[in-house]
Structures are given as structure tokens and as C-alpha cells.
């Protein structure tokens, strides 16, 4: 049972435009969400996170939106740059208040930013 | 500060053998987590160690085990290897401190295990 789903395996966007990556989850106990970026032959790199008490978090070109009622989160990248081309994973955790690290990851979305 | 290191980077084993993978976390990090990445399955959580104790465990069979040493270095062992164990095994470390609302994990480059 996939508790965290990224239904779009790939996405192509023109340079300078907005990239929107989506993620859905089923477990209402999840209270902390993260996005990671992964280049080939490297481990995932942390991008941005959001707690369930918020509905938006921004960090430079990256913004994560959380819709708890729809159990949906999205990552917006504006403007998109060719260097953003990578696989993006969303991850969710329950009980993060305890400081334990058990994250459930989605299957990833491959973003290609076209120059 | 050096990042998370994993050894070996690549490994080929045959069915039935066992394998041990190693992970050295970032200096000062006490939490180490292991993940398995396979095509179409994303990253699946194996287990997390903190101060030499397994604190969390994913849904993997008992053939998968791990341990953490007093210097926070961690090893993962897979016994009686199966073809389906072929995957990229990723290790992530964390300082286990709260900065703002962030629980960042820092990943190593992974060990690519191929079982033939």
C-alpha cells in the first residue's frame, strides 16, 4: 500500500516557467512533509519541508503548499532552471514531534527543464 | 565538513550470499537511517539507528539487519540474498536537532548492490 504517491513519473517544463510537482498521501497521521531532489549517481538532497500546522512554506525559488483536507502537497519552482532537472521525491512522516526519523517516500517525479 | 560516506559504492553478489554495507555519517550526527531504492518503488525505509539503538523499523524481512557503533558509524547486513534485493541502498544521517521546523536528513551517494 503506497501511502505517499507521486502520480506523474515525469514532467517537462520550459526554462523560466513554473514547475509544479504533486504528491498525495493517504495517512492522516502524517504531520511533516519534505521534498528531496536527486541527481543520477548521488544521494537525495533536502530541498524544503513543511509542518502540518502550516499550509505554505517558501525558500527562494521553491514553495511547498499543503492541503490537509485533500491530503495533497505540491512543490512549485519559479522560475525553473535547467539545473533543476532531476528526480524529485516527496516524503512524509508521522510523529515527527518525537524527533524520530521514519519517512515514507513517494516514487519520484523526473523533472526536465528545457532550455 | 565531510558528507555522508558509504562503502562500497558498487557490489555484485550471488543469490544465497550475504553482504554488509557501511555508512559513516556526518561528524556529530547521531541518527542514521537506511533506505532501499528500486525502480518504481521509490525509497523504502529500512531502519533508523540512534545512539547504537534501533529506533524505527520498516517492513522488511528479518534478512535485513543493521547496527550502529559508538562512533555513530552504521552497518547494514543482508543475509541469504535474493535477486529482488538488487537495489541502491542509501544511508542518511541527521543531527537530530530541531532547526525551525526542519528535520533534515543528509544522504550518502548509496551502494549499488546487484544480485545475480
Amino acid at each position: 500500500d503506497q501511502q505517499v504517491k507521486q502520480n506523474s513519473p515525469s514532467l517537462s517544463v520550459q526554462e523560466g516557467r513554473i514547475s509544479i510537482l504533486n504528491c498525495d498521501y493517504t495517512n492522516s497521521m502524517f504531520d511533516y512533509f519534505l521534498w528531496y531532489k536527486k541527481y543520477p549517481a548521488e544521494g537525495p538532497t533536502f530541498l524544503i519541508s513543511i509542518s502540518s500546522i502550516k499550509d505554505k512554506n517558501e525558500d527562494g525559488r521553491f514553495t511547498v503548499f499543503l492541503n490537509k483536507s485533500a491530503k495533497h502537497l505540491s512543490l512549485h519552482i519559479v522560475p525553473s532552471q535547467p539545473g533543476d532537472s532531476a528526480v524529485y521525491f516527496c516524503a512524509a512522516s508521522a510523529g515527527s514531534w518525537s524527533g524520530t526519523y521514519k519517512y515514507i517516500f513517494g516514487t519520484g517525479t523526473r523533472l526536465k527543464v528545457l532550455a | 565538513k565531510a558528507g555522508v560516506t558509504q562503502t562500497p559504492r558498487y557490489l555484485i553478489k550471488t543469490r544465497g550470499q550475504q553482504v554488509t554495507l557501511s555508512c559513516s555519517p556526518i561528524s556529530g550526527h547521531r541518527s542514521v537511517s537506511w533506505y532501499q531504492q528500486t525502480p518504481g518503488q521509490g525509497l523504502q525505509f529500512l531502519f533508523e539507528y540512534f545512539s547504537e539503538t534501533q529506533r524505527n523499523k520498516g517492513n522488511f524481512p528479518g534478512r535485513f539487519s543493521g547496527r550502529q557503533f559508538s562512533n555513530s558509524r552504521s552497518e547494514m547486513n543482508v543475509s541469504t540474498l535474493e535477486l529482488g534485493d538488487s537495489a541502491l541502498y542509501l544511508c542518511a544521517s541527521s543531527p537530530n536537532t530541531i532547526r525551525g521546523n526542519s528535520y533534515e536528513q543528509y544522504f550518502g551517494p548509496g551502494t549499488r548492490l546487484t544480485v545475480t
Side-chain angles (χ1 to χ4, degrees):
Chain A
D1 177 33
Q2 194 73 25
Q3 296 186 63
V4 177
K5 299 177 186 178
Q6 294 176 258
N7 292 318
S8 298
S10 64
L11 174 69
S12 291
V13 171
Q14 208 63 35
E15 181 180 6
R17 306 295 291 269
I18 183 171
S19 294
I20 300 176
L21 296 100
N22 294 304
C23 181
D24 296 296
Y25 61 96
T26 57
N27 189 341
S28 57
M29 297 299 291
F30 288 146
D31 59 1
Y32 198 75
F33 305 89
L34 308 91
W35 284 94
Y36 284 85
K37 176 170 72 173
K38 186 178 185 300
Y39 293 119
E42 294 182 14
T45 303
F46 171 77
L47 268 178
I48 191 169
S49 61
I50 188 167
S51 163
S52 60
I53 62 173
K54 295 184 175 180
D55 52 21
K56 176 182 173 182
N57 189 27
E58 275 183 88
D59 185 0
R61 297 186 297 114
F62 302 92
T63 303
V64 56
F65 294 92
L66 176 62
N67 182 334
K68 288 187 289 293
S69 60
K71 294 192 179 66
H72 176 84
L73 67 156
S74 60
L75 173 69
H76 292 209
I77 306 174
V78 184
S80 301
Q81 300 172 354
D84 295 329
S85 297
V87 177
Y88 289 77
F89 291 96
C90 67
S93 174
S96 54
W97 58 269
S98 65
T100 59
Y101 299 90
K102 181 176 179 178
Y103 294 107
I104 308 300
F105 280 75
T107 52
T109 296
R110 183 177 301 277
L111 173 66
K112 189 171 184 179
V113 180
L114 307 168
Chain B
K1 207 181 236 188
V4 177
T5 58
Q6 292 187 245
T7 55
R9 291 293 309 276
Y10 303 92
L11 203 51
I12 299 175
K13 291 284 189 179
T14 56
R15 271 186 306 174
Q17 287 186 312
Q18 75 160 16
V19 66
T20 299
L21 312 181
S22 181
C23 171
S24 293
I26 292 172
S27 177
H29 288 194
R30 296 162 65 193
S31 169
V32 174
S33 297
W34 288 89
Y35 294 86
Q36 180 195 66
Q37 185 187 7
T38 54
Q41 291 293 316
L43 278 75
Q44 297 194 77
F45 176 79
L46 280 155
F47 27 66
E48 184 231 350
Y49 285 87
F50 179 77
S51 291
E52 302 178 63
T53 300
Q54 188 181 87
R55 192 161 63 169
N56 279 296
K57 191 175 188 307
N59 298 322
F60 277 81
R63 300 185 297 107
F64 292 82
S65 63
R67 59 178 175 168
Q68 187 180 33
F69 302 95
S70 58
N71 61 359
S72 293
R73 190 178 70 85
S74 178
E75 287 183 347
M76 191 194 95
N77 186 77
V78 187
S79 63
T80 319
L81 283 165
E82 300 177 359
L83 294 177
D85 296 333
S86 295
L88 180 67
Y89 289 88
L90 290 158
C91 164
S93 76
S94 175
N96 197 41
T97 58
I98 301 172
R99 295 195 296 117
N101 284 325
S102 181
Y103 294 80
E104 297 171 20
Q105 287 187 317
Y106 299 85
F107 281 84
T111 294
R112 171 75 61 187
L113 172 64
T114 302
V115 182
T116 62

